């Protein structure tokens, strides 16, 4: 059993590495698709401005995100986004019972992950480990929201009025921070995840995230979505 689990985690790690896309397009077709998932038409018409990248980022995340937004999306990308959302929705039922909120959250996760060049499934695994999808969660250390963002990041990335309990803002922060750490670690996912958690040099946190990815969010296992409710 232990050897079998080890093989599954290695497979999940490989899958996650493959899922981290080269930064690809998110054009009007994607935005229309994601806007249709949102119940806030005004937010869809007036998207939140991109956050400022950290000074130490090797290549400016701001420039990268702007370039992704302005690039055209292929029909294949839009189809893949729909397929991913349909595969993940049943798996999220355990954490988010309301169908409307569930699909809106998945649409936003996909949107923010794509902007940052991350695997949306990896982001779901991070959220599961960090907050179990509780947008109002606050840790004993003061980390806030879905992706457990420390308040000092507001000074680095955003505006004083930013509400880290707002799922949309929290996802923007979390995906930007994780993408930054991946750039710092030159694509080493284990080290990037450890940095995200503040435990660089240890592997327990990356292992928890990869276990969540393998057990629930791996796109390789879409046929078993219903069983994971």
């Amino acid at each position: 059993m232990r050897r079998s689990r080890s093989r599954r985690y290695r497979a999940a790690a490989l899958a996650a590495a493959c899922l981290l896309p080269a930064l690809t397009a998110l054009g009007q077709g994607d935005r229309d698709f994601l806007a249709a998932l949102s119940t806030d038409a005004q937010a869809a018409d007036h998207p939140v401005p991109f956050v400022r990248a950290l000074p130490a980022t090797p290549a400016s995340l701001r420039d990268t995100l702007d370039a992704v937004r302005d690039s055209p999306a292929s029909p294949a990308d839009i189809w893949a986004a729909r397929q991913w959302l349909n595969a993940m929705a049943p798996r999220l039922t355990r954490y988010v019972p309301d169908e409307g909120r569930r699909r809106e959250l998945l649409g936003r996760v996909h949107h923010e992950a794509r902007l940052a060049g991350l695997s949306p499934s990896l982001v779901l695994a991070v959220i599961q480990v960090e907050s179990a999808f509780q947008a109002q969660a606050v840790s004993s250390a003061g980390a806030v929201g879905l992706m457990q963002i420390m308040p000092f990041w507001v000074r680095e990335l955003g505006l004083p009025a930013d509400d880290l309990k707002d799922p949309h803002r929290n996802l923007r922060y979390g995906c930007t921070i994780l993408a930054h750490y991946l750039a710092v670690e030159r694509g080493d996912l284990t080290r990037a995840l450890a940095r995200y958690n503040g435990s660089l040099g240890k592997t327990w946190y990356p292992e928890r995230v990869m276990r969540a990815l393998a057990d629930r969010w791996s796109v390789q296992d879409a046929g078993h979505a219903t069983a994971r409710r």
Side-chain angles (χ1 to χ4, degrees), residues 101-123:
R101 288 186 56 234
R102 187 165 62 244
R103 293 186 72 84
E104 181 179 358
L105 176 60
L106 285 171
R108 181 59 59 169
V109 166
H110 190 278
H111 177 73
E112 297 296 341
R114 284 286 306 278
L115 286 177
L118 300 173
S119 157
S121 292
L122 175 64
V123 173

Side-chain angles (χ1 to χ4, degrees), residues 31-32 34-48 104 108 168:
R31 291 196 293 277
D32 290 344
L34 293 166
L37 296 178
S38 175
T39 57
D40 187 346
Q42 185 175 7
D45 292 336
H46 303 284
V48 178
E104 181 179 358
R108 181 59 59 169
H168 293 184

